[in-house]
Amino acid sequence: MFKRLENCYNTADFRALAKQNIPGPIFHYIDGAADDEKTYFHNTEAFDKCDLVPNVLNPVTNIDTSVEILGKKIDLPIFLSPTALQRLFHHEGERAVGEAAEEFNTYFGISSLATIGIKEIGKKFNCPKMFQLYVHKDKSLNEDMLQKCVEYNFDSLAITVDTIVGGNRERDLRTGFTSPPRLTMGSMLSFALSPKWSMNYLVREKFSLPQLESHLSEGTKIAMSVGDYFTKMLDQELSWKKIEDIKKNWEKPLCLKGIMSVEDAKKAIDVGASAIMVSNHGGRQLDGSRSPFDQLEEIVNAVSGKIEIICDGGIRRGTHVLKALSLGANACSGGRFYLYSLAGAGSSGVKRALSLMNDEIVRDMKLMGCSSISDLNKKNIRYK
Ligand SMILES: Cc1cc2nc3c(=O)[nH]c(=O)nc-3n(C[C@H](O)[C@H](O)[C@H](O)COP(=O)(O)O)c2cc1C
């Protein structure tokens, strides 16, 4: 059945809309993950291992869903994880995502591989902005990105630490997905079957990765898979010491994205990070890695109150957010829940996805008998 935005009510609907509206290789880049994609599916399934237990008969006319994270108060307790290449998914790209983040007052995560420059984003959007740093071998590129984030007043920095090499994303290998996109015999048909996307790609602002292109040709002038890009361009010598060195040049809150063990969570405190994103990169890196939600309680028990904890990955429903917050996460974040809607319908899609997520969270909090996020706690959770 032909999907329309107004008939989308949840992440699964937005996924179907994206699949219908964009070329196959691009859809599979968003949707896919590493190896057998076990971790990818498990990230969401993990939320089914426990149930919510409500406490009723509490007045819930006024609900406060705000949380404080990385130096900012955000109204939606789930924010937009940084994701690469957004103008490939829809020509409005980061401009659409930033607009929606601003409307719902949540953190806007901006990837090092964003398709719009730090300067434009910094000037255009007033919502809290998190820049995600992939630490490259090219030191001048890292310094340049950081210096621009300082100049354009970004609010926090997230260093991704789970991408020391590219994950084995077999869907991308099969479809031949590269950045910038390269037409292959196999993919030609799928581009022809998405004429609106293809027309926009051809006539609108040319695809670019503004943060990288004055330093590198790979990914912009030289087409390559994202996996090969990471393996070739990122710094495999990245270490705790190097994180400390970066921290010296960054005065605002620092977050480490991709922390999964208690040991590393403690080290994150030692190097002066304000937050960790408990994350396996949406299952796109180490397949077989534990899910962030499964790992959350262990990390909360060890470091809660000493560092902020963000649960990132697998979140598709408001109840997933409530479960993670009940277990002690300070906030949640996600990628695909807003990316499918961006790919399917641009700015109005992302706004609808955030609006539905907000409605779910508000409704579910009322059903839980909670009027603020601090009312949620471990007593609300039972394991099956
Ligand atoms: C298409 C896509 C691109 C991504 N690009 C980046 C990126 O550039 N940097 C990064 O740190 N994480 C990136 N991620 C991971 C997200 O930040 C986030 O950790 C992940 O999407 C969470 O899982 P979820 O999609 O199930 O919510 C990407 C994820 C997707 C789906």
Side-chain angles (χ1 to χ4, degrees), residues 205-359:
E205 182 184 343
K206 194 172 172 302
F207 172 80
S208 67
L209 298 174
Q211 277 54 258
L212 311 182
E213 61 195 4
S214 54
H215 294 263
L216 314 168
S217 300
E218 288 83 350
T220 49
K221 292 187 192 81
I222 303 174
M224 60 164 56
S225 77
V226 174
D228 284 349
Y229 179 89
F230 291 149
T231 303
K232 190 166 170 207
M233 310 312 293
L234 300 191
D235 180 5
Q236 297 190 13
E237 297 289 313
L238 184 60
S239 61
W240 292 101
K241 167 81 180 60
K242 287 194 178 182
I243 300 284
E244 279 179 306
D245 291 343
I246 295 171
K247 173 86 181 64
K248 286 181 193 145
N249 296 315
W250 180 258
E251 288 174 2
K252 290 184 181 173
L254 172 72
C255 173
L256 298 185
K257 177 174 185 289
I259 295 291
M260 286 297 289
S261 74
V262 164
E263 293 75 15
D264 284 352
K266 289 181 177 164
K267 286 183 192 157
I269 300 172
D270 294 341
V271 296
S274 307
I276 50 172
M277 284 168 89
V278 182
S279 174
N280 54 36
H281 215 110
R284 295 160 79 81
Q285 287 297 107
L286 178 66
D287 195 33
S289 170
R290 206 159 187 232
S291 84
F293 183 68
D294 279 337
Q295 195 58 0
L296 190 58
E297 201 166 1
E298 205 173 303
I299 291 187
V300 167
N301 288 342
V303 299
S304 177
K306 299 183 193 128
I307 193 164
E308 291 173 337
I309 302 166
I310 298 156
C311 181
D312 173 72
I315 293 173
R316 303 291 180 263
R317 286 285 186 188
T319 48
H320 298 162
V321 175
L322 296 200
K323 285 180 180 178
L325 296 172
S326 296
L327 283 189
N330 298 88
C332 294
S333 62
R336 295 181 186 84
F337 87 98
Y338 77 88
L339 281 182
Y340 293 133
S341 61
L342 170 68
S347 165
S348 37
V350 186
K351 284 181 188 165
R352 185 168 171 89
L354 296 199
S355 170
L356 289 170
M357 182 58 87
N358 182 58
D359 291 350

Side-chain angles (χ1 to χ4, degrees), residues 181-207:
R182 192 173 39 195
L183 265 190
T184 60
M185 284 309 279
S187 66
M188 206 115 67
L189 181 66
S190 72
F191 285 92
L193 288 173
S194 306
K196 196 168 166 198
W197 182 94
S198 300
M199 186 52 82
N200 278 323
Y201 183 71
L202 291 175
V203 303
R204 304 235 180 214
E205 182 184 343
K206 194 172 172 302
F207 172 80

Side-chain angles (χ1 to χ4, degrees), residues 148-205:
K148 286 201 177 95
C149 289
V150 172
E151 189 176 344
Y152 293 102
N153 212 13
F154 277 51
D155 302 288
S156 61
L157 180 72
I159 305 178
T160 297
V161 294
D162 59 15
T163 309
I164 210 80
V165 290
N168 177 37
R169 304 178 192 174
E170 292 177 3
R171 290 204 224 180
D172 292 350
L173 302 178
R174 288 198 189 91
T175 63
F177 177 82
T178 57
S179 169
R182 192 173 39 195
L183 265 190
T184 60
M185 284 309 279
S187 66
M188 206 115 67
L189 181 66
S190 72
F191 285 92
L193 288 173
S194 306
K196 196 168 166 198
W197 182 94
S198 300
M199 186 52 82
N200 278 323
Y201 183 71
L202 291 175
V203 303
R204 304 235 180 214
E205 182 184 343

Side-chain angles (χ1 to χ4, degrees), residues 66-180:
S66 66
V67 294
E68 294 216 5
I69 194 81
L70 289 161
K72 291 282 161 181
K73 179 169 177 273
I74 55 174
D75 292 334
L76 197 61
I78 176 166
F79 68 84
L80 312 181
S81 302
T83 56
L85 311 184
Q86 291 179 8
R87 269 197 308 112
L88 268 193
F89 311 155
H90 188 279
H91 64 89
E92 293 168 353
E94 287 85 358
R95 296 185 183 107
V97 177
E99 225 180 81
E102 203 166 55
E103 187 168 317
F104 288 86
N105 185 34
T106 193
Y107 244 112
F108 175 21
I110 296 109
S111 169
S112 290
L113 272 57
T115 52
I116 292 180
I118 291 171
K119 179 177 174 183
E120 180 184 334
I121 291 175
K123 288 188 155 186
K124 205 181 194 103
F125 298 112
N126 285 320
C127 55
K129 292 173 285 293
M130 162 197 275
F131 186 75
Q132 174 269 326
L133 182 70
Y134 278 131
V135 181
H136 283 71
K137 285 177 188 155
D138 182 336
K139 284 192 189 135
S140 66
L141 167 59
N142 302 329
E143 283 161 13
D144 187 29
M145 290 193 279
L146 272 193
Q147 191 261 321
K148 286 201 177 95
C149 289
V150 172
E151 189 176 344
Y152 293 102
N153 212 13
F154 277 51
D155 302 288
S156 61
L157 180 72
I159 305 178
T160 297
V161 294
D162 59 15
T163 309
I164 210 80
V165 290
N168 177 37
R169 304 178 192 174
E170 292 177 3
R171 290 204 224 180
D172 292 350
L173 302 178
R174 288 198 189 91
T175 63
F177 177 82
T178 57
S179 169

